[in-house]
């Protein structure tokens, strides 16, 4: 792992001294959460796919912006051993893992009768099983330390369904169940585990599914945005990665210690329907 370190510049940093691993943090929500955790003082291990030079730049920007240590691990989380290895290597690099954000995820949109089996397997492997493997690896040391924070990025689709997203909805409902179980097992050991359930957030994942949804429903891109994506979101605005990062920091802060086993919607009212 390459480590980028800068001197601390901020004074109010409630996660100073903590080490956070954020899966799937080379873009989108994961990167937004990594920024907020680093801003709150945590050292951060980034993970994900992408161009090496760009990732190197992201790590250095993050370290420079927030004055924390930043490392990167390219683990392919569809492989159980690599998910475990991410936690082991983060512990070896920074001494321990206090905060685990299971965020990496992919999507595929297709009617169930033609849903490709390999897409089902890939979505379940990354969106659900990877969170289990990383949690399993991080949980024992958190228990020994008597403190840990696990934040799973589920989705409004962890609470309700939409057509053509069978694998995604199944995986996200699965994450909500895993969250409750881990919360119960960690409750007497200072470990909290919660799921954040975003509605639509403007990231590459959303951009990439617009064309597929348009094809599956036989409508235009603009219609997908207005009538499908934001149709369900009563406040008619996309959630931002900064809002999700701020919630993750709150859950990891002292004020969040009584919150565990929850699935918190950040969806502009979508699941209130
Ligand atoms: P994104 O595509 O911007 O980011 C996904 C991240 O996962 C990237 O860093 C990517 O490199 C990484 N990744 C992909 N395959 C990987 C693999 N095999 N191993 C390791 N990392 C891998 O997506 P996003 O929109 O930021 O989504 C992040 C999470 O938020 C996902 O779990 C998604 O389901 C969830 N979510 C997103 C939205 C939304 O509207 N964007 C809404 C609800 C929930």
């Amino acid at each position: 792992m390459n480590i980028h370190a800068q001197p601390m510049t901020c004074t109010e940093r409630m996660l100073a001294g903590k080490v956070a691993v954020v899966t799937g943090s080379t873009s989108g929500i994961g990167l937004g959460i990594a920024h907020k955790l680093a801003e709150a003082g945590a050292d951060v291990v980034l993970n994900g796919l992408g161009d090496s030079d760009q990732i190197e730049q992201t790590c250095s920007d993050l370290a420079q912006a927030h004055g924390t240590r930043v490392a990167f691990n390219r683990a392919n989380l569809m492989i159980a051993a690599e998910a475990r290895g991410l936690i082991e290597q983060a512990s070896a690099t920074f001494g321990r893992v206090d905060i685990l954000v299971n965020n990496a995820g992919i999507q595929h949109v297709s009617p169930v009768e033609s849903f490709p089996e390999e897409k089902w397997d890939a979505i379940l492997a990354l969106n659900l099983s990877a969170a289990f493997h990383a949690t399993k690896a991080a949980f024992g040391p958190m228990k020994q330390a008597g403190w840990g924070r696990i934040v799973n990025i589920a989705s409004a689709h962890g609470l309700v369904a939409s057509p053509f997203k069978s694998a995604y909805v199944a995986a996200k409902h699965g994450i909500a169940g895993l969250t409750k179980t881990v919360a119960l097992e960690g409750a007497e050991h200072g470990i909290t585990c919660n799921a954040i359930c975003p509605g639509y957030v403007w990231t590459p994942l959303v951009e990439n599914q617009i064309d597929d949804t348009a094809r599956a429903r036989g409508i235009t891109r603009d219609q997908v945005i207005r009538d499908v994506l934001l149709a369900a979101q009563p406040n008619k605005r996309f959630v931002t990665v900064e809002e999700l990062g701020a919630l993750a920091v709150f859950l990891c802060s002292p004020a969040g210690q009584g919150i565990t086993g929850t699935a918190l919607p950040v969806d502009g009212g979508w699941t209130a329907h």
Side-chain angles (χ1 to χ4, degrees):
M1 272 195 226
N2 296 327
I3 304 175
H4 302 256
Q6 294 288 325
M8 261 178 69
T9 49
C10 298
T11 48
E12 217 188 309
R13 309 192 131 205
M14 61 187 155
L15 299 182
K18 302 291 187 200
V19 175
V21 173
V22 185
T23 72
S25 46
T26 51
S27 79
I29 295 170
L31 183 55
I33 290 174
H35 264 287
K36 285 290 181 191
L37 291 172
E39 188 181 63
D43 293 326
V44 178
V45 177
L46 298 183
N47 153 262
L49 312 178
D51 172 73
S52 295
D53 290 343
Q54 225 171 334
I55 291 171
E56 180 77 16
Q57 189 61 50
T58 302
C59 290
S60 133
D61 290 348
L62 196 59
Q64 198 141 26
H66 306 299
T68 56
R69 295 181 295 170
V70 178
F72 173 68
N73 184 308
R74 189 178 282 281
N76 175 358
L77 300 180
M78 292 205 197
I79 299 166
E82 296 201 20
R84 284 195 298 274
L86 168 63
I87 302 301
E88 286 158 11
Q89 239 203 311
S91 302
T93 304
F94 287 146
R96 63 189 186 282
V97 173
D98 303 294
I99 296 166
L100 169 63
V101 180
N102 289 306
N103 166 77
I106 49 171
Q107 171 66 287
H108 185 78
V109 179
S110 164
V112 69
E113 71 270 25
S114 55
F115 205 95
E117 285 162 23
E118 66 279 9
K119 293 284 185 194
W120 170 275
D121 290 342
I123 289 172
L124 269 286
L126 185 63
N127 296 18
L128 180 56
S129 299
F132 160 72
H133 294 300
T135 298
K136 184 179 171 188
F139 198 80
M142 284 180 178
K143 217 164 145 180
Q144 273 175 358
W147 197 95
R149 294 286 177 270
I150 300 171
V151 179
N152 296 323
I153 306 306
S155 166
H157 283 121
L159 302 168
V160 295
S162 295
F164 313 123
K165 297 183 179 178
S166 51
Y168 189 85
V169 170
K172 294 301 187 180
H173 276 66
I175 273 284
L178 176 67
T179 299
K180 290 182 199 172
T181 305
V182 172
L184 294 179
E185 292 186 30
E188 290 194 53
H189 302 282
I191 302 170
T192 70
C193 180
N194 291 284
I196 295 178
C197 300
Y200 280 102
V201 188
W202 192 254
T203 68
L205 183 141
V206 168
E207 170 59 35
N208 293 339
Q209 68 186 281
I210 290 175
D211 288 337
D212 286 346
T213 304
R215 257 192 305 278
R217 292 179 180 249
I219 55 179
T220 67
R221 277 177 61 89
D222 281 352
Q223 284 172 317
V224 171
I225 292 171
R226 192 187 61 245
D227 300 335
V228 180
L229 302 187
L230 294 182
Q233 212 143 293
N235 69 350
K236 298 296 172 200
R237 60 179 284 277
F238 285 97
V239 175
T240 69
V241 299
E242 290 77 13
E243 288 160 3
L244 297 173
L247 177 54
V249 168
F250 181 81
L251 290 172
C252 296
S253 75
Q257 67 185 331
I259 304 172
T260 195
T262 67
L264 295 164
V266 184
D267 62 5
W270 172 359
T271 53
H273 277 301

